[in-house]
C-alpha cells in the first residue's frame, strides 16, 4: 500500500520528565502548532509512560504532565483542532507497545544511540523500559497510522526504527496494514544545543539548570543564562560558512533564527562582525519576547489543573475513537481470539 492510501495524520509527543525547554519549544511544540489546521489531522500527546523509564517522583510526574499540556496549549495547540491527551489514558499504547516488543529485534535496539547516551556506563542498572522505549514509541505513532511525525533531530533514529517495525509486521503477516511514517525534521532548531557544552543537546533532564532555557524561566534568568553561555571569543563571522567549526556560535545563531522565524543567513547579515556583548543581549531579548506571553499563559493554565485534566480526558476519548479499530485489527491479524 502506498503512503497516500493513509489519511495524512500527524502524531508527536513530549515526555513529562522535567520542565519544558527552549529545545522542546523550537524543535517540537512550535512546529506542532504550525502543522495544525492544514492538510493533517494532528494528534499531540504527553507521553507519561515514557517519562517513567527513569525514576519520577509521583508528585513531580503529576505536575510535569500538566506542565507539558499547559505548554502545548499556551503555545497555541488548540484542543478543537488537535487531539491532545496524556498517553496513559489510552491503554492501546501499552498494548501495541507489547506487540511491537515481539516484532522488534534485540539487535535493532542495541543500535539505538539514545539508549547508549542515556544509560552511559550504567547500562546494567537502568530500567528495562528505557531499553524497550523505542518499541513503545513506534506503538504511539502506529496506533494512529500516523503518516508524519514532527520531531527534533535526536528522534530520527527512533522514527526509522518505527518504519522497520511497520515493515517487519507487514512482511511477517503478509499485510499492508501499518504505514511507513515520515519523520519531519526541519528548520534551524532541529537540534538546540546545551548552553554549557555545544556538543550536547539541550535536554529537560540535563544535569545543570544553566545549560538550558526553560519555557517558564523569567527575563532575568534567560538573560543570565545566555550571558553565561559558553562561546569562543571570536566575533560573529561575515558568512554562515564561518560558523562551520564553531558549535556554540552556530547554536546561538540557530536559536536566534528560529525565534525570529528567519534564516541563519539573515541573522548573519544583521550581526556580521558583532561581538557577544551585542549579540547575546539581543538574543535574550528576542527569547523573552517569544517566551514571556507563553509562560504567563502556562502559569495561568497550571493554576487550574482540573481544566487541563478535562481537556486531556476529552482528547483521550477522541484518541481512542481513532485507535481502537486499529488496535483491534492488529490483534486480529496476529491471530488473537477476542
Ligand atoms: P529528556 O531529557 O527527558 O529526554 P528532552 O528535552 O530530550 O527530555 P523529549 O521529551 O525527549 O525531551 O523530546 C520531546 C521532543 O522535543 C522530541 O520531538 C525531541 O526531538 C524534541 N527535542 C528535545 N530536545 C531537543 C533539542 N535540544 N532541540 C530540538 N528538539 C528537541
Ligand atoms: Mg529526550
Amino acid at each position: 500500500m502506498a503512503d497516500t492510501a493513509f489519511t495524512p495524520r500527524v502524531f508527536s509527543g513530549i515526555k513529562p520528565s522535567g520542565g519544558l525547554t527552549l529545545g522542546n519549544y523550537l524543535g517540537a511544540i512550535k512546529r506542532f502548532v504550525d502543522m495544525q489546521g492544514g492538510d493533517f489531522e494532528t494528534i499531540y500527546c504527553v507521553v507519561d509512560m515514557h517519562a517513567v523509564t527513569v525514576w519520577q517522583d509521583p508528585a513531580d510526574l503529576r505536575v510535569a504532565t500538566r506542565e507539558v499540556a499547559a505548554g502545548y496549549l499556551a503555545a497555541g495547540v488548540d484542543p478543537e483542532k488537535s487531539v491532545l491527551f496524556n498517553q496513559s489514558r489510552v491503554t492501546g499504547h501499552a498494548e501495541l507497545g507489547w506487540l511491537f516488543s515481539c516484532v522488534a529485534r534485540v539487535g535493532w535496539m542495541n543500535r539505538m544511540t539514545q539508549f547508549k547516551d542515556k544509560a552511559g556506563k550504567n547500562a546494567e542498572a537502568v530500567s528495562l523500559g528505557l531499553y524497550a522505549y523505542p518499541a513503545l514509541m513506534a506503538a504511539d505513532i502506529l496506533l494512529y497510522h500516523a503518516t508524519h511525525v514532527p520531531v527534533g533531530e535526536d528522534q530520527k533514529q527512533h522514527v526509522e526504527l518505527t518504519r522497520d517495525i511497520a515493515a517487519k509486521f507487514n512482511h511477517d503477516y503478509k499485510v499492508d496494514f501499518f504505514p511507513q511514517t515520515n519523520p519531519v525534521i526541519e528548520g534551524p532548531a532541529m537540534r538546540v544545543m546545551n548552553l554549557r557544552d555545544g556538543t550536547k543537546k539541550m535536554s529537560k533532564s540535563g544535569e545543570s539548570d544553566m545549560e538550558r532555557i526553560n519555557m517558564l524561566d523569567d527575563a532575568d534568568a534567560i538573560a543570565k543564562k545566555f550571558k553565561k553561555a559558553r562561546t569562543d571569543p571570536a566575533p560573529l563571522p561575515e558568512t554562515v560558512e564561518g560558523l562551520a567549526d564553531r558549535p556554540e556560535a552556530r547554536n546561538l545563531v540557530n536559536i536566534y533564527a528560529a525565534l525570529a522565524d528567519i534564516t541563519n543567513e539573515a541573522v548573519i547579515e544583521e550581526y556580521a562582525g558583532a561581538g557577544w556583548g551585542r549579540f547575546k543581549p539581543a538574543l535574550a531579548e528576542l527569547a523573552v519576547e517569544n517566551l514571556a506571553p507563553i509562560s504567563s499563559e502556562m502559569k495561568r493554565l497550571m493554576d487550574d489543573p482540573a481544566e487541563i485534566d478535562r481537556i486531556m480526558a476529552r482528547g483521550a476519548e477522541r484518541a481512542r475513537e481513532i485507535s481502537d479499530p486499529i488496535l483491534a485489527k492488529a490483534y486480529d491479524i496476529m491471530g488473537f481470539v477476542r
Side-chain angles (χ1 to χ4, degrees), residues 44-317:
Y44 298 127
C45 192
V46 183
V47 284
D48 46 11
M49 296 175 62
H50 287 285
V52 298
T53 53
V54 299
W55 167 251
Q56 302 295 333
D57 175 82
D60 292 347
L61 181 62
R62 284 184 200 103
V63 172
T65 299
R66 291 175 180 131
E67 181 183 325
V68 174
Y72 283 143
L73 292 164
V77 170
D78 177 350
E80 297 303 318
K81 290 189 190 151
S82 294
V83 177
L84 168 59
F85 68 106
N86 59 314
Q87 184 189 23
S88 60
R89 286 183 201 256
V90 179
T91 54
H93 290 255
E95 294 178 58
L96 190 62
W98 177 255
L99 302 184
F100 285 170
S101 290
C102 302
V103 175
R105 306 289 93 184
V106 167
W108 302 359
M109 294 301 180
N110 286 341
R111 285 197 288 275
M112 295 297 112
T113 56
Q114 189 165 105
F115 176 78
K116 289 176 198 159
D117 288 348
K118 291 205 171 208
K121 293 192 188 76
N122 211 17
E124 294 283 314
V126 298
S127 76
L128 180 57
L130 189 68
Y131 183 70
Y133 143 96
L136 180 58
M137 177 164 157
D140 300 335
I141 295 166
L142 294 173
L143 187 59
Y144 302 92
H145 278 182
T147 55
H148 294 79
V149 183
V151 279
E153 213 252 341
D154 59 299
Q155 291 297 331
K156 183 165 188 257
Q157 198 184 29
H158 293 160
V159 182
E160 280 163 3
L161 183 90
T162 300
R163 294 167 67 93
D164 291 343
I165 289 176
K168 181 163 167 58
F169 182 100
N170 288 347
H171 175 266
D172 289 354
Y173 294 101
K174 299 183 178 56
V175 290
D176 280 317
F177 185 58
F178 287 116
Q180 284 288 294
T181 306
N182 300 297
V184 185
I185 302 170
E186 54 197 24
M190 56 183 141
R191 190 174 184 84
V192 176
M193 306 310 278
N194 178 319
L195 298 180
R196 308 297 289 176
D197 178 350
T199 66
K200 285 197 199 144
K201 88 168 187 75
M202 184 182 287
S203 292
K204 51 178 136 57
S205 65
E207 258 161 53
S208 152
D209 196 56
M210 288 303 287
E211 69 186 45
R212 62 181 165 262
I213 305 287
N214 301 302
M215 285 179 72
L216 287 175
D217 280 344
D218 63 20
D220 288 346
I222 292 173
K224 184 170 143 207
K225 287 177 180 180
F226 278 128
K227 189 166 176 222
K228 298 220 158 165
R230 182 169 146 187
T231 53
D232 56 48
L236 283 170
E238 303 292 327
T239 64
V240 282
E241 288 72 38
L243 292 168
D245 298 318
R246 301 176 62 190
E248 287 89 7
R250 191 174 59 231
N251 186 40
L252 297 184
V253 169
N254 284 344
I255 293 174
Y256 192 105
L259 286 168
D261 256 328
I262 58 177
T263 60
N264 285 357
E265 284 79 5
V267 180
I268 290 300
E269 212 165 282
E270 193 177 340
Y271 288 98
W276 296 112
R278 182 173 150 227
F279 186 71
K280 282 178 166 180
L283 176 60
E285 196 179 315
L286 181 63
V288 171
E289 216 173 88
N290 275 258
L291 291 180
I294 300 175
S295 64
S296 66
E297 176 64 2
M298 278 175 77
K299 285 177 196 148
R300 192 190 68 76
L301 288 161
M302 286 166 74
D303 279 341
D304 188 1
E307 173 64 6
I308 294 176
D309 295 0
R310 195 191 60 76
I311 291 169
M312 289 197 293
R314 169 78 191 107
E317 267 173 45

